[in-house]
Amino acid sequence: MSLQFALEQLATHRTKNTRASQDVFRNGLLVLQKKGLKKLGDDGWTFLEQLTLASIDVGRLDVADQCLQLIADKFPNSPRVDCLTGIRMEATEPPEIALKYYADILEADSANAAIWKRRISVLKRIGKVEKAVNELVQFLDTFYTDVEGWLELADIYASCSQYDHSLQALTHVLLLTPQNPFYMLQAAETAYTAEDFPLAIKMFLTVVDMTDGDDSEQLLQESTPLGLTVRAWFGVKLCARRIVQNTNMKSASNTSSPKKLELLDELATERLRVAYSSSGQKGEIAQGRQEVFAWVATPLS
C-alpha cells in the first residue's frame, strides 16, 4: 500500500466522519512508519487525533500513547487533549478514576461539553442510568441545541420503557431539525410504542410527505415508494388498525384521529402494494411480497 493511498483513505474517513477503526489504524500506522506526518501540514494534528482514537479502539495503546504525547506536547492546555486523555484513561483505568478525572475538569470549566458527554457516557456504561439521565438533563439545560444529547436522552428513556419521556426528548430534536425525516420517523415509531396512535399516524404521514417527492396524483401513481417511505406507510397502516380497534382510547398528546381513516388505510394499502410489486433493482424490496399482500388485504375493521 502506498503512502499517498493511505493518506487519501484517512482523509476520506475524516471528511465522512466515519470511525472505521481497523482501516484507520492500518493506514495511520503506515503513515507513521513512512514518516508521512510532515506531508499533512496542519492536518497532521487532526490525523494524530484520528489515529489515537482508532488505536484505542483496536487495543494498540502503545500507538495511542505515542500519538497522544505528540498532541499534548504541541497543545499542552487544550480541552481536546483533556478529552483524549480521558478516553485513553477509560481504556485501562477503573470507571471511578475516569469519572473523578472528568469531574475535576468540569469543576474548573463547567462549559466543557466534550468532557461532560464523556462523563455521561461512563455513567451509562457502568449502569448508573438514573445519574446519567440527571447529568444529561443538566447538560441539555446548558447546551439546548445539542441534537445528539437529546437523541441520547430519548434512547436512554426508550431503553427503560419510558416511551412518553422518550417522545418528549424527541420533540426537542424535531424543533431543532424539523426537516430530518429520520428523526420524524423515530418520533412516529416512539409515539406508536407509547400507544398515542393519532399522533403517530400524523407523524408517519409527515414522513411520507417529506420523503415521497412530488405528491401530485399523477406522479404518486407512477412513483415507487422506497426506504423510509415504505416504513412510514407501514406505520400508517398499523396506526389505522389500532385506532379502529381502540375507538375509546384517548391520545396522551390530545391529537385528534384522522376523519377519513378508511381512505388513508386504502392509500397505505395501495402504496405498499406498489412497493412490493416493483421489479429490477428497486424490486429488491419485493422479497416476501405474498405475505405483505395478504397482510394489507386484511379488512380495516
Side-chain angles (χ1 to χ4, degrees), residues 102-137:
Y102 291 139
D104 291 343
I105 294 176
L106 288 174
E107 186 175 354
D109 180 15
S110 61
N112 193 323
I115 293 296
W116 212 337
K117 284 185 175 183
R118 291 309 313 172
R119 177 173 168 80
I120 293 168
S121 175
V122 174
L123 288 170
K124 181 182 176 184
R125 177 164 55 85
I126 63 177
K128 295 185 177 181
V129 178
E130 185 175 355
K131 188 169 181 59
V133 168
N134 291 335
E135 291 260 354
L136 189 50
V137 170

Side-chain angles (χ1 to χ4, degrees), residues 1-294:
M1 182 188 301
S2 68
L3 176 59
Q4 184 60 35
F5 178 79
L7 291 172
E8 291 175 357
Q9 288 291 102
L10 290 166
T12 300
H13 288 308
R14 288 197 299 273
T15 301
K16 295 182 177 180
N17 197 29
T18 53
R19 193 88 170 202
S21 299
Q22 291 284 357
D23 192 48
V24 169
F25 177 77
R26 183 172 57 254
N27 288 298
L29 191 60
L30 178 67
V31 172
L32 287 182
Q33 291 172 345
K34 293 192 174 183
K35 303 187 184 301
L37 187 58
K38 293 182 179 179
K39 292 187 177 182
L40 290 169
D42 291 338
D43 287 338
W45 305 111
T46 306
F47 155 73
L48 286 174
E49 183 177 354
Q50 179 187 25
L51 182 55
T52 300
L53 294 172
S55 300
I56 293 173
D57 285 346
V58 302
R60 286 296 303 273
L61 301 181
D62 55 327
V63 178
D65 290 339
Q66 179 185 350
C67 295
L68 185 55
Q69 187 61 54
L70 290 171
I71 301 173
D73 290 344
K74 178 66 175 179
F75 308 100
N77 298 313
S78 169
R80 295 176 75 94
V81 173
D82 291 339
C83 189
L84 285 173
T85 302
I87 295 172
R88 168 64 180 86
M89 191 178 295
E90 290 178 40
T92 54
E93 301 295 335
E96 292 74 18
I97 293 179
L99 287 173
K100 185 179 185 308
Y101 171 78
Y102 291 139
D104 291 343
I105 294 176
L106 288 174
E107 186 175 354
D109 180 15
S110 61
N112 193 323
I115 293 296
W116 212 337
K117 284 185 175 183
R118 291 309 313 172
R119 177 173 168 80
I120 293 168
S121 175
V122 174
L123 288 170
K124 181 182 176 184
R125 177 164 55 85
I126 63 177
K128 295 185 177 181
V129 178
E130 185 175 355
K131 188 169 181 59
V133 168
N134 291 335
E135 291 260 354
L136 189 50
V137 170
Q138 292 178 35
F139 171 82
L140 291 169
D141 282 341
T142 305
F143 303 96
Y144 176 79
T145 58
D146 193 295
V147 174
E148 290 183 355
W150 287 111
L151 289 171
E152 179 68 18
L153 184 60
D155 180 69
I156 293 175
Y157 279 136
S159 68
C160 298
S161 299
Q162 297 184 27
Y163 300 109
D164 290 333
H165 287 85
S166 180
L167 185 58
Q168 289 175 13
L170 288 172
T171 58
H172 293 281
V173 175
L174 297 180
L175 284 172
L176 295 168
T177 57
Q179 301 303 319
N180 190 311
F182 293 94
Y183 297 153
M184 182 64 71
L185 181 64
Q186 183 177 351
E189 293 178 342
T190 303
Y192 180 87
T193 308
E195 298 188 342
D196 192 341
F197 304 120
L199 177 61
I201 196 171
K202 179 181 178 181
M203 288 181 163
F204 280 125
L205 289 169
T206 301
V207 175
V208 170
D209 186 55
M210 296 170 72
T211 60
D212 209 19
D214 193 319
D215 58 358
S216 65
E217 183 176 353
Q218 181 179 359
L219 289 179
L220 187 61
Q221 292 175 351
E222 295 175 353
S223 65
T224 300
L226 297 170
L228 290 181
T229 312
V230 174
R231 193 176 179 97
W233 279 123
F234 269 116
V236 171
K237 186 80 176 174
L238 287 167
C239 288
R241 294 187 175 190
R242 294 301 295 271
I243 292 172
V244 169
Q245 294 168 1
N246 302 273
T247 54
N248 296 324
M249 182 178 290
K250 294 184 179 180
S251 165
S253 61
N254 295 319
T255 304
S256 301
S257 298
K259 294 181 179 180
K260 299 180 179 179
L261 200 60
E262 291 185 1
L263 292 178
L264 283 175
D265 180 74
E266 291 176 6
L267 181 57
T269 298
E270 185 274 334
R271 300 313 293 156
L272 289 171
R273 283 182 176 274
V274 170
Y276 282 83
S277 297
S278 59
S279 59
Q281 184 177 358
K282 293 182 179 179
E284 292 177 0
I285 199 173
Q287 295 180 7
R289 71 177 67 186
Q290 296 304 323
E291 290 80 1
V292 172
F293 286 174

